[in-house]
Structures are given as structure tokens and as C-alpha cells.
Amino acid sequence: PGDSPPGDGDDGDDAAGAPAAAEDLGLTDAGDIDVDALVFRPGVDTPVNFLHVRRVRGGPANHPRAKALLDGWKRCGELFVCPAGSNDDWYWLYAAVASGDDAFLVSNDEMRDHAFQMLPAPRLFAKWKERHQVRFHMSAATGLEFYHPPPYTACVQEGRDGDWWLFPGDDGEWTCAVRK
């Protein structure tokens, strides 16, 4: 937990993984479903998969295994299909933020374009991402691995007494800088 997944994390690596990872697991037989994002609150909600309409109609979505997977998500209320002509990223991003402080977004999308559009509060958006984005990696060797955010922030924290607390080192000890 808290480790970075392999790869460069460029935008476009979303919740179904990069095409190479899907091929490693033999998922191309089920069609390239390529989930855009998954939003969930552990122990509270059923996860919701967000897909653009172009990913649920025609092409790979017509494969029998892909159809079965999509139908299962629909029956369980685990699928939200974003309409044509809209940016599906805004749907899953809104759902993740609106789901509350205990919600997580599973996606490798770096959301660089969203941070820019969140001006004048890009730092607030960066803090939200640090606390709520779960990254993943998929391969035949390891299966599906999730990388949860760390339980602490890497940002310097200022205490009520004016002392500065820094995130823990490899030995687990916290560093404190005291003002004199």
C-alpha cells in the first residue's frame, strides 16, 4: 500500500489497465472494455464502473464475455454509462468527490487536464487526489494489484504550537522541526 505502480501513469491508463496489461491476463478474449474509472466507499457502497457509451456498444463490447460482464454490472447497479458528446472523466470525478471523504477513485489517470481546469484551486485538487486515488497494475505474473494512498500526507504539517511535522522516514520515525 502506498507504493507507486509500475509504468509511467500517463493519462489514459484507466481502471481496466493498459492494453498490454489486459493482453497479459488474456482479457482481450473478453473484449477491450477499458473501464474509465471505478468509484467506491469501502464497506458502504457497491463500486460503480464508469464507461463512455462508445465502450458499451459495438466492437469489443459485442464479445460474449464482455456482454456478460456488462450485463452483470447493469443488473447489480454497478455501471454508469456516460452519454455521447460528453467527457466521461467529469462524471467519475464528480461521483468520487460527491461520494464523501471515505470514497476512493480507482484509476491510473493522472488528471493533469482536470487539475488545470480546477483553477484557482489546483492545490486543493492535488490534495484530494493524494488522499482518494487508488492506482493499480495488472499482469499475468501478479494479477491485479492496488496501490492505496498512504495513511499520512507527504506534506509538511504545522502544529498548534508552531512546530512543523514531516512525514515519517523509512524507519517509521516522524521528524519534527521546532521553532525557537
Side-chain angles (χ1 to χ4, degrees), residues 129-142:
K129 267 182 50 177
E130 179 184 293
R131 291 180 25 215
H132 297 277
Q133 186 173 12
V134 176
R135 298 179 184 281
F136 65 93
H137 177 71
M138 197 171 22
S139 75
T142 60

Side-chain angles (χ1 to χ4, degrees), residues 14 36 82 86-94 109 113-114:
D14 295 321
D36 293 314
C82 304
S86 63
N87 183 342
D88 53 319
D89 291 12
W90 289 109
Y91 288 85
W92 53 256
L93 188 55
Y94 176 79
D109 192 322
D113 51 339
H114 306 304

Side-chain angles (χ1 to χ4, degrees), residues 31-83:
D32 183 15
I33 293 188
D34 196 20
V35 175
D36 293 314
L38 179 71
V39 175
F40 72 100
R41 293 185 309 164
V44 179
D45 291 332
T46 299
V48 178
N49 297 284
F50 288 78
L51 289 169
H52 193 276
V53 68
R54 74 179 176 273
R55 300 197 192 274
V56 297
R57 294 190 189 146
N62 283 337
H63 188 281
R65 284 182 48 199
K67 279 185 177 182
L69 184 60
L70 291 168
D71 289 343
W73 287 345
K74 286 178 193 173
R75 273 193 313 279
C76 294
E78 297 174 358
L79 178 63
F80 182 88
V81 178
C82 304

